[in-house]
Amino acid sequence: MKTAVVGGGAAGFFLAINLKELCPEMEVTIFEKSKKVLVKVEVSGGGRCNCTNSFASVRDLSQVYPRGHRLMKRLFKRFDNHDAYAWFERHGVRLVTQDDECVFPASQDSHTIINLFLSETRRLGVEVHTACKIESLQQLADYDFIAITTGGMPKGASSLFMLPPSLFIPPVPSLFTFSIEDKALQALMGTVVDEVTVQIPGTSFRASGPLLITHWGMSGPAILKLSSYAARELHEHHYQMPLAINWSSHKDPEILEELHHIIESHPQKLLTSIRPFDLPSRLWGYLVEKALGQRTQNRWQNLNKKELNRLVNILCNDPYLIAGRAAFKDEFVTCGGVSLSAVNPNTLESKDIPHLYFAGEILDIDGITGGFNFQAAWTTAFTVAQAIK
């Protein structure tokens, strides 16, 4: 029995190695169109290779896999982050977990992972063919199983390997920061708010988490998650859509109660000197001026009902405008590829083409944490091995 793995990246090598370990009699060949394999592994994580994540602070996978979290839950039941951690250590790579929950090789060098993959494929007898472009599955007619691990769908391509275009979802940017043309906001660059809620008004798209103000607009986990949730909606509107921010992630009545508490406790203090919800001082000053104009030097006790409502509204529903694709910043992921509805969620096998599997970033899924490649690749390896036993 023979299996072809198309794509010499992390998912391809991980799949091939595990398939040979599970099924030693299987002939496994990796095909890579470039002259060099594992190129993205070499540069990932700043050259250190983020192997997985501890998921210690993740309550639900939808927090870190905005699209495709249901599929991820299935994959994690079979091979989760703990299994990935144990796999690398079992194969001689010691790992460390950082304060941000990202897991890296203790060497802090991606070549540790590359050397492991290369040595294991040699030891197990996996063939690796570089500078070998597969343009049609007909080229692999001699193989019993085919796994596509190409790492993503090229922009502008309607299909790959002469497969039906209906199988693919066109790629659009995902996980990106927002450009906001507001000089007063941009002057606050470097300001971090630990917990905000961001949403696109008129839609169901919203996300929560830390937010970072940059010299071009906004970044941070909350913005990245929102961009992923709304990736296609934003694309359809040419990245010109409204944005609303709740700077405290509290509801109107709770915000009003907080402001009344400040009025009762510090009536003589200037508005800008007492910050609700411990907001950064520069940000609070900006919000007060945005809500009240020149009355920033007013005292808390002198606020009238209308001004108080303006402060509540600016804290709960602060409006902005995403500036458009031309001012688009820092795209981390491109979503699109094989539709999740086109594959069996338990095996990652194509529903229409028997013995054709998709693993890794070729699937229309992305996430804010690392590790999906290994979950998908192991599932495919396990499924193929079981199919011939």
Side-chain angles (χ1 to χ4, degrees), residues 8-216:
F13 271 79
F14 198 76
L15 192 162
I17 292 168
N18 279 283
L19 180 54
K20 283 293 288 185
E21 289 184 335
L22 291 166
C23 190
E25 67 272 23
M26 175 73 73
E27 293 182 30
V28 181
T29 303
I30 296 174
F31 295 93
E32 169 56 44
K33 68 177 180 179
S34 302
K35 294 180 179 180
K36 186 177 180 181
V37 296
L38 301 166
V39 173
K40 288 180 67 175
V41 172
E42 186 173 27
V43 299
S44 69
R48 297 179 296 144
C49 189
N50 181 193
C51 298
T52 185
N53 191 283
S54 75
F55 291 88
S57 60
V58 177
R59 298 184 299 276
D60 189 282
L61 286 176
S62 63
Q63 291 178 266
V64 288
Y65 290 98
R67 288 191 318 282
H69 57 275
R70 292 182 180 85
L71 173 61
M72 287 303 299
K73 287 179 181 178
R74 289 177 180 267
L75 298 183
F76 266 55
K77 288 180 181 178
R78 183 169 284 174
F79 189 87
D80 64 11
N81 56 302
H82 302 293
D83 296 316
Y85 195 109
W87 189 95
F88 281 102
E89 294 224 318
R90 189 169 64 250
H91 286 77
V93 174
R94 190 167 67 87
L95 302 177
V96 293
T97 304
Q98 298 184 162
D99 292 340
D100 62 0
E101 308 304 337
C102 292
V103 176
F104 290 89
S107 65
Q108 299 292 298
D109 186 350
S110 61
H111 289 92
T112 301
I113 304 300
I114 292 173
N115 292 338
L116 165 66
F117 285 162
L118 294 177
S119 63
E120 284 298 291
T121 51
R122 285 194 296 267
R123 181 181 70 83
L124 294 166
V126 174
E127 292 187 29
V128 180
H129 294 193
T130 57
C132 185
K133 187 175 182 179
I134 303 299
E135 297 180 321
S136 169
L137 296 187
Q138 293 302 315
Q139 294 174 247
L140 305 173
D142 292 339
Y143 288 84
D144 302 287
F145 302 92
I146 300 172
I148 298 178
T149 61
T150 52
M153 180 179 174
K155 293 182 180 180
S158 60
S159 65
L160 295 174
F161 313 113
M162 304 299 289
L163 294 171
S166 59
L167 186 69
F168 298 94
I169 294 177
V172 298
S174 177
L175 288 181
F176 51 85
T177 64
F178 291 166
S179 178
I180 308 291
E181 294 180 351
D182 181 332
K183 291 184 178 180
L185 175 76
Q186 294 169 0
L188 305 177
M189 62 179 181
T191 299
V192 176
V193 185
D194 290 334
E195 186 67 23
V196 306
T197 298
V198 293
Q199 63 177 328
I200 296 177
T203 75
S204 61
F205 300 120
R206 65 171 58 212
S208 298
L211 182 145
L212 168 67
I213 298 174
T214 69
H215 66 277
W216 64 81

Side-chain angles (χ1 to χ4, degrees), residues 282-301:
R282 289 197 302 157
L283 174 63
W284 175 236
Y286 162 81
L287 293 175
V288 171
E289 183 173 354
K290 189 175 181 179
L292 305 181
Q294 299 301 315
R295 292 178 62 79
T296 57
Q297 296 305 305
N298 202 358
R299 300 184 186 280
W300 280 98
Q301 67 176 7

Side-chain angles (χ1 to χ4, degrees), residues 168-329:
F168 298 94
I169 294 177
V172 298
S174 177
L175 288 181
F176 51 85
T177 64
F178 291 166
S179 178
I180 308 291
E181 294 180 351
D182 181 332
K183 291 184 178 180
L185 175 76
Q186 294 169 0
L188 305 177
M189 62 179 181
T191 299
V192 176
V193 185
D194 290 334
E195 186 67 23
V196 306
T197 298
V198 293
Q199 63 177 328
I200 296 177
T203 75
S204 61
F205 300 120
R206 65 171 58 212
S208 298
L211 182 145
L212 168 67
I213 298 174
T214 69
H215 66 277
W216 64 81
M218 298 178 184
S219 184
I223 294 295
L224 294 176
K225 283 191 282 186
L226 182 64
S227 75
S228 182
Y229 289 137
R232 294 192 178 91
E233 188 88 2
L234 286 163
H235 177 75
E236 290 173 6
H237 287 81
H238 307 289
Y239 304 94
Q240 294 179 322
M241 296 191 74
L243 173 71
I245 300 178
N246 183 324
W247 291 103
S248 69
S249 287
H250 288 80
K251 296 181 179 179
D252 287 22
E254 298 169 318
I255 294 174
L256 184 59
E257 182 181 352
E258 171 74 4
L259 298 187
H260 275 304
H261 174 72
I262 294 175
I263 292 172
E264 294 172 2
S265 304
H266 308 282
Q268 295 294 328
K269 293 289 187 177
L270 295 175
L271 291 175
T272 53
S273 65
I274 303 295
R275 297 169 287 121
F277 307 107
D278 293 322
L279 290 173
S281 57
R282 289 197 302 157
L283 174 63
W284 175 236
Y286 162 81
L287 293 175
V288 171
E289 183 173 354
K290 189 175 181 179
L292 305 181
Q294 299 301 315
R295 292 178 62 79
T296 57
Q297 296 305 305
N298 202 358
R299 300 184 186 280
W300 280 98
Q301 67 176 7
N302 295 331
L303 281 174
N304 58 43
K305 185 176 181 180
K306 186 176 182 179
E307 291 171 333
L308 191 60
N309 287 336
R310 285 179 179 175
L311 287 177
V312 170
N313 191 56
I314 205 73
L315 285 167
C316 186
N317 191 34
D318 186 16
Y320 296 90
L321 181 66
I322 302 170
R325 183 66 177 88
F328 192 91
K329 295 287 184 179

